[in-house]
Amino acid sequence: MDTMPRKPIARDAVLDAFEALLIEVGERAATLDAVAKRAGVSKGGLLYHFPNKEAMISALLERMDALAALDIEAMKAAPEGASAFFIKSSLWADTPMDRVFVAATRLAEVAHEETRRRFAGIQQQWLDVLAEEVGPEMARAVRYMGDGLYFNAMLEGGPGANASERNADVGALLAAVERLRD
Amino acid sequence: MDTMPRKPIARDAVLDAFEALLIEVGERAATLDAVAKRAGVSKGGLLYHFPNKEAMISALLERMDALAALDIEAMKAAPEGASAFFIKSSLWADTPMDRVFVAATRLAEVAHEETRRRFAGIQQQWLDVLAEEVGPEMARAVRYMGDGLYFNAMLEGGPGANASERNADVGALLAAVERLRD
DNA sequence: GTCTATATGACGATAGAC
DNA sequence: GTCTATCGTCATATAGAC
């Protein structure tokens, strides 16, 4: 057996560390030194897996695309409807999908073009699914509400910050979506 | 005459350059060297006006607070209502207010705590005004729509990017706000 | 595969001339 | 007030030992 290519775990550990640092301390502090230290390897060890920082970023974006594809499928299949699913999942709940997404946002903010392109692609997919449910116009309203949730959670510094308040906000947004659905 | 304190123009030019670089190329590239070059002064000249980078950031936040206060007043007085005014002004139109706001967001993204505090204060004021018009629950929906607009414009790289598409989105959001108002 | 050591360059900040 | 020159620090990346 074992003909399937097996993912090296050290590589994933490095990627996890990079992701965590982007989320917790921002792009500027996610240096090769810091990533290596957090992943428990030396800088040289890290650079064996990823020849340079760009390669590490690319790997993160691959991870994001893969998880986003799963998310889109879940959204299409959601029993409560795509809009409600979308709003709920816009609450930064620290799922694997949330984590890559936020980490990648930190890169987009620093004007990393490739990251921005990937975002645009994913958001278009979300919008398409929403439009199927509530029409193209209300789909935009729903999308922007979700984006706003993300934006605020990020500005406040993470899933922990003001969690109860934001939970209440999700309730308000779901109510708004109900009204828009009619 | 001339008893009024007069603002030095070189200082403002430096601040404008800092703001522009934050918007156009991101926090990382807004170095003292780059700011000085863009403002047409030397690095030493820049550091005469602002003893260190933090001082430059503080001045930018002061500018933001001043413009935000004007914005809140305009929002309260808006004939079309606070919500519609808020959505329209969330379109990144490259006004002075938009510019500081986006520039400061770049700082908040890199986990600059003071900037985050200022944001929280301004957003609370917006929310209060919105709540007077549409109630506390719908105020949140409106607020998040506006934030989402900003978030997307920023991810796409500026007021120019996809301008016509985003203009259409504002129309959709205004329609949504109308429905929520009932 | 993972390490240490080091080259190279940028950034923020200081000192002091004009 | 604005400049040039320079220092200390830290980031990315390379070279090569184990």
Side-chain angles (χ1 to χ4, degrees):
Chain A
M1 308 312 237
D2 261 17
T3 49
M4 292 274 292
R6 210 192 283 213
K7 285 277 171 59
I9 46 172
R11 216 184 111 101
D12 279 341
V14 168
L15 214 50
D16 289 344
F18 182 43
E19 188 181 271
L21 286 169
L22 283 172
I23 294 170
E24 290 165 23
V25 286
E27 189 266 348
R28 203 154 189 178
T31 65
L32 295 185
D33 264 310
V35 172
K37 191 177 175 187
R38 176 142 184 168
V41 296
S42 71
K43 212 200 294 197
L46 185 159
L47 286 164
Y48 166 77
H49 293 292
F50 303 98
N52 53 49
K53 202 174 187 180
E54 252 325 285
M56 214 162 64
I57 294 176
S58 291
L60 194 74
L61 295 180
E62 291 305 316
R63 177 184 278 191
M64 176 169 75
D65 274 350
L67 288 169
L70 292 176
D71 187 75
I72 302 276
E73 289 315 310
M75 190 170 156
K76 284 181 185 165
E80 73 265 48
S83 301
F85 179 91
F86 179 76
I87 294 293
K88 283 186 197 165
S89 63
S90 291
L91 217 197
W92 184 359
D94 222 31
T95 61
M97 168 68 186
D98 285 337
R99 293 182 65 80
V100 243
F101 197 83
V102 173
T105 305
R106 303 276 190 224
L107 299 173
E109 288 158 352
V110 204
H112 190 272
E113 284 311 320
E114 177 58 18
T115 304
R116 289 182 172 178
R117 270 191 292 276
R118 303 282 189 124
F119 267 117
I122 294 172
Q123 287 188 316
Q124 186 58 53
Q125 292 180 66
W126 278 333
L127 195 57
D128 290 343
V129 178
L130 290 174
E132 277 179 42
E133 188 189 36
V134 295
E137 203 172 44
M138 288 308 118
R140 283 151 199 264
V142 174
R143 171 200 154 168
Y144 281 124
M145 283 189 248
D147 289 350
L149 260 179
Y150 246 102
F151 181 62
N152 275 281
M154 287 185 42
L155 284 188
E156 285 163 16
N162 303 29
S164 66
E165 193 192 325
R166 209 147 38 234
N167 252 310
D169 288 2
V170 169
L173 294 183
L174 288 172
V177 168
E178 272 313 306
R179 289 219 220 173
L180 293 180
R181 210 199 288 266
D182 306 333
Chain B
M1 307 312 236
D2 263 14
T3 50
M4 292 275 290
R6 210 192 282 214
K7 284 276 171 58
I9 46 170
R11 216 184 111 102
D12 279 341
V14 168
L15 214 50
D16 289 344
F18 183 43
E19 188 181 89
L21 285 170
L22 283 172
I23 294 170
E24 290 166 22
V25 286
E27 189 266 347
R28 200 152 191 183
T31 66
L32 295 184
D33 265 309
V35 172
K37 192 176 173 187
R38 177 142 185 168
V41 296
S42 70
K43 211 201 291 199
L46 185 159
L47 286 164
Y48 166 79
H49 294 290
F50 304 99
N52 52 49
K53 203 175 186 180
E54 253 323 287
M56 213 162 64
I57 294 176
S58 291
L60 194 73
L61 295 181
E62 291 305 316
R63 177 185 279 190
M64 176 169 75
D65 275 350
L67 289 170
L70 292 177
D71 187 74
I72 302 275
E73 289 314 309
M75 190 170 156
K76 282 181 186 164
E80 73 265 49
S83 301
F85 179 90
F86 179 75
I87 293 292
K88 282 185 197 166
S89 64
S90 291
L91 216 199
W92 183 359
D94 221 31
T95 62
M97 169 67 186
D98 285 336
R99 293 182 65 80
V100 242
F101 197 83
V102 172
T105 304
R106 302 278 191 224
L107 299 173
E109 288 159 352
V110 257
H112 190 272
E113 284 310 320
E114 176 59 18
T115 304
R116 289 182 172 177
R117 270 190 292 276
R118 303 283 189 123
F119 266 118
I122 294 171
Q123 286 188 320
Q124 187 59 53
Q125 292 181 66
W126 279 333
L127 196 57
D128 290 344
V129 179
L130 290 174
E132 278 179 41
E133 186 189 37
V134 295
E137 202 172 43
M138 289 307 117
R140 284 152 199 265
V142 173
R143 172 201 153 167
Y144 281 124
M145 284 190 247
D147 289 349
L149 259 179
Y150 247 102
F151 181 61
N152 274 280
M154 287 183 43
L155 285 187
E156 285 164 14
N162 303 28
S164 67
E165 192 191 326
R166 210 150 36 235
N167 253 309
D169 289 2
V170 169
L173 294 182
L174 287 173
V177 167
E178 271 312 307
R179 288 219 219 173
L180 293 179
R181 209 198 289 264
D182 304 333

